[in-house]
Each structure stands twice: as C-alpha cells, then as structure tokens.
Amino acid sequence: MITVLTGAVVILTVLVVLDLSLTVLLIKALREGKLNSTPGGNDHDHPDHPEGGFEPTAPTIRPGSPVPPLGLTTADGRPLSQILAEGRWLVAFVSPGCEGCEQERPVLTEWADSHAARGERVAVVVTESSQRIDAFVADYPFAVVAADGVGDGEAISAFGVATFPSYVRIADGAVTSTALELPGHEVVLIDD
C-alpha cells in the first residue's frame, strides 16, 4: 500500500512541476509578445506592430454574402441582424484599447455625418461585454452599438474580422464590400 501511495505522490509531484514550468513559459512568452492575447487574434496597433511582418486583413466575408444570422442585440435591445437586413449600413468593428480605433473615431463621425443624407447608417460592433456597452454608446452617439463579447465574439467570427478597426458595408441585408480604413470621407474598399 505504501508503494502505491509513494508512486502516486511521485507522479503528482512530476505533474505539478510540469504544470508550473509550462505556466512560467506561457507567462514569459506573453510578456515578450511572442504570443498574442488580443481579441480577434491580431494586435490592434497593426501599423506599429513591434515584431513586424503583421499583415492586417479585411474581414473575410465575401461581397454578395447575406448578413449572417446573429444573436446580438443593440444597446437599446433590438436584434442586430434584423436591423442590418434593411437599408444601407457601414458596420465598424472596434475594440477597447485599440489605438487605430480611437484614431479613426473622429473620421468615422465625419463619415457618418456626410453619408446620413444618402441614407447610409452606421452600426458599431464592440468587442466588449454587454454590461460595459454604455461607454461605447456615448462614444458613438451617431451609431447603433452592439456588444460582441470579449475575444472572438459571434459577429467577429461570422464576418471574419481579424484586424481592428475593420469595416463592412451592407445594402439590404447583403455585404457589398469590406475595408480596413476610413481615409477622409471615403471607405477604402477591398473587393474580392
């Protein structure tokens, strides 16, 4: 009986030491930036990525695709998929702490103002929990705002978003184009 207990203690000790070693290596890799811990799978500050070689990519959903069915609701409780099914929309995907998102916000505000007369509206999908959405509603008063949860949320995955900010244009429930930037008042379109 003692040999079985001794063997079990030895095995548990080895497993604990292995677990601690892996945890230390993981923490070290995260601190050195060798692993990415940001929502969406990529660094938010893509132009200044310290490791270099980062390729920002537009959302992978193809033009002509219907708006994916989403369980998300806007900050005021409306189903996002239902809202995007009618009219013309620019959907902006943003993330808290994203420098590029903060830099683009004034340009997005101007874009929304200049395109409102043309009937184009803005929806902002934030990688944040719905409990913390009020701050983003205040930041984007011109837009319909929806929280997509922290990390790879439902809309982030459905639209294929990997870089923040990213933009998708929609007309009558179908994707018309995807983009990475809003220079001036025009969206730089990336069509496949």
Side-chain angles (χ1 to χ4, degrees):
M1 181 71 166
I2 293 180
T3 12
V4 172
L5 288 175
T6 304
V9 169
V10 169
I11 290 173
L12 284 173
T13 303
V14 168
L15 289 174
V16 168
V17 169
L18 180 63
D19 183 49
L20 284 171
S21 300
L22 291 173
T23 301
V24 168
L25 289 173
L26 179 63
I27 291 170
K28 183 178 177 184
L30 283 170
R31 284 187 179 163
E32 292 174 357
K34 292 180 181 174
L35 292 178
N36 191 348
S37 63
T38 56
N42 291 315
D43 269 355
H44 298 289
D45 304 329
H46 54 82
D48 303 319
H49 191 270
E51 299 296 316
F54 173 77
E55 279 296 319
T57 56
T60 58
I61 193 165
R62 296 217 178 271
S65 300
V67 171
L70 302 168
L72 299 179
T73 56
T74 63
D76 59 1
R78 296 179 292 163
L80 183 61
S81 290
Q82 188 176 7
I83 291 170
L84 298 178
E86 297 178 8
R88 293 175 29 198
W89 290 90
L90 173 72
V91 182
F93 292 89
V94 300
S95 185
C98 162
E99 276 187 46
C101 300
E102 287 300 314
Q103 292 169 354
E104 288 282 319
R105 188 162 24 120
V107 179
L108 182 58
T109 302
E110 289 177 27
W111 190 95
D113 290 343
S114 68
H115 286 73
R118 301 179 200 169
E120 197 156 5
R121 296 172 284 176
V122 176
V124 175
V125 176
V126 183
T127 58
E128 185 59 84
S129 67
S130 57
Q131 292 83 14
R132 298 182 57 196
I133 198 67
D134 290 341
F136 293 95
V137 172
D139 286 345
Y140 298 95
F142 55 86
V144 171
V145 179
D148 197 20
V150 179
D152 289 336
E154 181 182 0
I156 300 296
S157 297
F159 283 94
V161 174
T163 305
F164 297 96
S166 286
Y167 306 94
V168 174
R169 283 179 104 171
I170 295 171
D172 297 321
V175 174
T176 59
S177 60
T178 62
L180 287 175
E181 298 178 350
L182 282 170
H185 291 281
E186 294 302 317
V187 175
V188 175
L189 302 177
I190 300 173
D191 293 315
D192 292 326

